[in-house]
Amino acid sequence: MTKTGKAISIFIVSFTAAVLMMVLSSCGGKKGNEKPNEEKAAFTVSVRKIAPETMEDYIEFGGTVKAVDSVEILPSVAGKIARISVEGGDRVNRGDVIAQIDPSKPGAEFALSPVKATSSGTVTKLPLSVGAYATTSTTIAEISSTDDLEIDINVSERFVPLIKEGQAALVTFKSYPGEFFEAKVERISPILDPSTRTMEVTLNIEETKGIVKAGMFAHVKLITQTKNGALALPNRAIVYNSGKPYVFVADSTGENASVSRIPVTTGLSVDGKTEITSGLSEGNLAIVKGQNMISEGQKVNALLQKDE
């Protein structure tokens, strides 16, 4: 190769190297200009606006529905039951024949003796069947007025101080899911059953809606405490630090909300909700989902939760 050719080759190599260095330098410069702590997208939480509500504490019992007024029908003579003219649930009037008694004895014949209803109402009990022997003190049938119904419950000794006459209750039946019936404490037994350590309490059903029947099993919620205007939150909204309760609150809704951790005091807790007695006010945006993943002063995307 001539001296001129060598010079040209050296120039080309040098020029190429210079261009590569400029490109690499340019790329490195761009990387250096990036923000290393570029702000990430805000964490999303759910908030609930605190509003006053009514909270009710209660104790639950099971009980049996019975008629307020019931009459036992007795025969006027002793003998075998020859015929029963009614069935449970039948409506009868005073003077209607309920059954026939055969008072005959060996070697003698007697006419059948009718057993009549002494009041009008519904037949709620027929304890005997045809052929059974009855005396003048044997109940042939029970007739009840089913317009007024009541419930007997047995209250454990530890709950006795919480029971008062006139106390309100809510009653439900498996036969009618979703239906609620109001009741009140009508009578309280003055003594406890020594074998069960329970006290009998009778509640009057205020409105049967024409569907409650004597003999039904009732589920009773007896209201022991009512608080109107309580500020309450779902239990999950409350976080604890060293045993002390706190609630996270957002200052607004949207993507740039700021979070504060507020110490609170709690009160009544029932059905998954807890009363906040101090620390929060009506209208505060309490964080009810995502509160375990955030910290004081953090920016969040706060989405307003619909009422539960």
Side-chain angles (χ1 to χ4, degrees), residues 14-29:
S14 299
F15 179 77
T16 303
V19 170
L20 287 173
M21 289 181 64
M22 290 177 63
V23 170
L24 290 174
S25 176
S26 175
C27 290

Side-chain angles (χ1 to χ4, degrees), residues 90-130:
D90 285 354
R91 179 80 182 180
V92 297
N93 296 314
R94 180 183 176 90
D96 288 350
V97 175
I98 299 295
Q100 297 278 0
I101 299 292
D102 182 2
S104 298
K105 295 180 180 180
E109 292 186 3
F110 295 88
L112 295 178
S113 174
V115 180
K116 297 182 178 181
T118 57
S119 66
S120 298
T122 301
V123 177
T124 54
K125 187 183 292 184
L126 287 169
L128 301 177
S129 57
V130 173

Side-chain angles (χ1 to χ4, degrees), residues 147-219:
D147 294 332
D148 295 320
L149 298 174
E150 57 189 19
I151 303 169
D152 284 340
I153 60 175
N154 293 311
V155 176
S156 176
E157 184 176 5
R158 65 192 179 100
F159 293 128
V160 167
L162 301 177
I163 311 301
K164 299 177 179 61
E165 286 190 7
Q167 195 167 355
L170 282 178
V171 182
T172 56
F173 302 92
K174 285 186 177 180
S175 304
Y176 307 111
E179 291 275 359
F180 294 88
F181 302 82
E182 295 182 353
K184 285 187 177 180
V185 173
E186 187 76 14
R187 296 186 303 278
I188 301 174
S189 173
I191 60 173
L192 267 68
D193 185 326
S195 61
T196 62
R197 312 305 303 176
T198 60
M199 177 180 71
E200 186 175 82
V201 175
T202 301
L203 299 96
N204 181 262
I205 303 177
E206 298 186 342
E207 174 56 59
T208 66
K209 303 180 183 179
I211 58 176
V212 180
K213 310 295 182 185
M216 281 184 168
F217 179 81
H219 180 251

